[in-house]
Amino acid sequence: MPIKAPRRERSILLLGRQRTLKHRGIALTSSEPIAAAAGGGGGRMTVKEEPFHFHYGCGDNGLQRSPTEKPAFTLGQIKKAIPPHCFERSILRSFSYLVHDLLFAALFLYFAVAVMPKLPSGLALAAWPLYWVLQGCILIGVWVIAHECGHHAFSDYSILDDVVGLVLHSSLLVPYFSWKYSHRRHHSNTGSIERDEVFVPKPKSALSWFTKYLNNLPGRVLTLAITLSLGWPLYLAFNVSGRAYPRFACHFDPYGPIYSDRERGQIFISDAGIVAASFVLYRVAASYGFWWLFRVYGVPLLIVNAWLVIITYLQHTHPSLPHYDSSEWDWLRGALATVDRDYGVLNKVFHNITDTHVAHHLFSTMPHYHAMEATKVIKPLLGEYYQSDDTPLLKAMWREVRECIYVEPDEDSKQKGVLWYRNEF
């Protein structure tokens, strides 16, 4: 049945040529030119259902490879299609999410320190893993709010954002300003094989000699175990999986190559935040014991770090996503080289950083509480450039660690600056 595209969508769906846009098995076909400017003349779309199949294997999955041609739309045109209120930041609303998360974290903490010691030993033993998982998940929500502060998406006041972000991230042993600036460069260079900052894949020729010996069941299990437990601190301390710099790079070094001269003073502030948080933890351990602190704080923090690595890895690692060298890369195609994932009920717990990541990379100052609405608008507008995968989490992790080992251009492609994940040795 023909339906007329909403006015905002009509303005950017096509720029003067017929095109079929596929999203999760639905083809949107326009048979008329549609004006590029908002308010321009419209066309009509025919919506038809097509079977959606998911096949595994690099370059041959049901979630088709993202297009690598320069899109016909611009960022400004996409922004015009999104309701203006989606870009409005509310202090009260932002704080309401933070207070919600902190109340649940306090409730779980009370359960651990006041209720669990009174339980029978067998029941208490079973209750600790429950506490760790619940606390780790709710603290990821706190982490995401601090992340929004770093993007100036928490409020209209950058100083307030930085104060809130510094306190929250320091409490989770994250150097706030250090990560804020490296993460900003990640957003500025997403998909660039030379300048991206996190989970930067290597070409086959640059792989370590032992990589091929890990391309088996025990090797993948070991890789996942190390990545989930140590990946985040190794990235902060040694830039593991990060961009290649000409000298040693560390998020705690104000004079490291990651930062410019004007940023170095704030890196000292980040380090001071970590020292202050570490001193508080030391005092707690001195009063209650190391193992008490480890059970109550340490294990949930390890779970936070593991979730952070999982979320980031799966957002930027998928057989359908391209990477670009300097001959092909541009900001918009790089920002679109990410994928939304479905974590079920955890999407809400994680403030939808998981299933609205494409929108986040296009408009990083948009508050998380508007991102779902914006995503629904941009899906049909981006068409084939929008990537989403609802593969169950464990299956997706195993598939990506198995298939996405290095990147190379297609042998028969003229675009040698466009690289795709491979796993053949």
Side-chain angles (χ1 to χ4, degrees):
M1 179 178 67
I3 62 172
K4 192 171 183 179
R7 180 175 179 177
R8 289 182 181 272
E9 297 181 10
R10 293 204 311 265
S11 64
I12 61 173
L13 272 174
L14 293 173
L15 301 182
R17 63 187 178 91
Q18 180 174 343
R19 183 170 185 163
T20 300
L21 306 179
K22 296 180 180 177
H23 168 63
R24 298 177 71 83
I26 299 177
L28 307 179
T29 304
S30 175
S31 56
E32 301 177 22
I34 298 181
R44 297 182 69 82
M45 296 189 299
T46 302
V47 180
K48 65 178 182 179
E49 295 288 338
E50 293 181 350
F52 185 82
H53 303 288
F54 202 100
H55 305 287
Y56 299 106
C58 292
D60 185 30
N61 44 24
L63 186 63
Q64 298 178 4
R65 277 184 171 185
S66 177
T68 56
E69 300 82 9
K70 291 188 177 182
F73 49 80
T74 67
L75 182 66
Q77 291 166 341
I78 291 291
K79 186 174 182 179
K80 287 181 181 179
I82 299 173
H85 72 263
C86 288
F87 299 96
E88 295 175 359
R89 295 161 291 204
S90 166
I91 291 179
L92 288 178
R93 191 167 181 183
S94 293
F95 267 112
S96 72
Y97 284 97
L98 175 57
V99 171
H100 169 275
D101 288 351
L102 293 179
L103 284 176
F104 269 97
L107 177 64
F108 296 148
L109 179 61
Y110 176 80
F111 175 76
V113 300
V115 177
M116 287 170 52
K118 300 177 182 178
L119 297 175
S121 58
L123 193 57
L125 190 63
W128 275 110
L130 177 63
Y131 164 75
W132 293 332
V133 171
L134 292 176
Q135 191 72 292
C137 288
I138 205 68
L139 289 179
I140 272 288
V142 175
W143 205 107
V144 170
I145 291 174
H147 156 268
E148 290 219 324
C149 292
H151 279 294
H152 190 31
F154 185 81
S155 76
D156 291 332
Y157 306 97
S158 58
I159 293 179
L160 176 62
D161 289 1
D162 285 341
V163 170
V164 173
L166 178 64
V167 171
L168 296 180
H169 262 171
S170 297
S171 68
L172 297 171
L173 300 184
V174 178
Y176 170 73
F177 287 108
S178 306
W179 180 83
K180 170 183 173 179
Y181 289 124
S182 68
H183 188 65
R184 179 179 296 178
R185 291 184 175 89
H186 160 61
H187 273 259
S188 298
N189 299 284
T190 307
S192 167
I193 206 71
E194 293 108 349
R195 298 188 306 278
D196 201 351
E197 288 284 344
V198 62
F199 284 118
V200 184
K202 297 179 179 180
K204 188 176 183 179
S205 59
L207 291 177
S208 301
W209 63 269
F210 55 80
T211 303
K212 63 181 180 181
Y213 299 108
L214 296 175
N215 189 29
N216 50 57
L217 178 60
R220 294 180 197 119
V221 171
L222 178 63
T223 298
L224 280 174
I226 294 175
T227 301
L228 297 184
S229 60
L230 299 176
W232 176 241
L234 288 175
Y235 170 67
L236 291 178
F238 303 105
N239 197 39
V240 172
S241 84
R243 170 184 171 181
Y245 284 97
R247 59 189 178 91
F248 177 71
C250 170
H251 279 74
F252 302 101
D253 179 8
Y255 298 100
I258 301 176
Y259 308 110
S260 65
D261 289 339
R262 68 178 183 84
E263 296 165 347
R264 303 195 194 284
Q266 290 176 302
I267 309 308
F268 279 110
I269 296 175
S270 292
D271 291 349
I274 297 298
V275 171
S278 300
F279 178 75
V280 171
L281 294 173
Y282 166 75
R283 296 298 299 173
V284 172
S287 299
Y288 296 96
F290 171 80
W291 288 112
W292 184 94
L293 178 64
F294 182 74
R295 291 196 306 271
V296 170
Y297 174 83
V299 177
L301 184 65
L302 290 174
I303 292 176
V304 169
N305 294 346
W307 272 125
L308 177 61
V309 170
I310 292 169
I311 292 168
T312 308
Y313 176 73
L314 291 181
Q315 285 165 342
H316 297 283
T317 307
H318 195 285
S320 71
L321 297 180
H323 283 75
Y324 304 93
D325 71 12
S326 56
S327 68
E328 286 282 349
W329 182 88
D330 61 64
W331 185 88
L332 183 55
R333 284 188 293 170
L336 292 170
T338 184
V339 59
D340 286 348
R341 301 276 189 168
D342 185 6
Y343 286 59
V345 67
L346 291 177
N347 289 329
K348 291 298 182 184
V349 179
F350 298 165
H351 300 308
N352 297 106
I353 195 66
T354 46
D355 57 342
T356 64
H357 199 66
V358 175
H360 173 64
H361 262 272
L362 293 173
F363 307 105
S364 60
T365 59
M366 179 187 294
H368 69 86
Y369 41 81
H370 293 314
M372 284 299 296
E373 181 180 357
T375 295
K376 291 177 182 177
V377 172
I378 68 175
K379 275 183 182 181
L381 308 184
L382 298 180
E384 291 175 329
Y385 288 90
Y386 175 78
Q387 296 290 300
S388 173
D389 188 354
D390 58 4
T391 302
L393 178 63
L394 293 178
K395 179 182 279 189
M397 288 174 55
W398 186 254
R399 183 189 66 213
E400 272 41 307
V401 79
R402 182 187 68 210
E403 300 190 5
C404 302
I405 299 177
Y406 61 89
V407 289
E408 293 284 307
D410 287 338
E411 292 183 1
D412 57 349
S413 174
K414 295 180 180 179
Q415 294 178 299
K416 296 303 181 183
V418 179
L419 302 97
W420 300 97
Y421 281 109
R422 310 282 188 199
N423 64 354
E424 303 90 358
F425 285 98

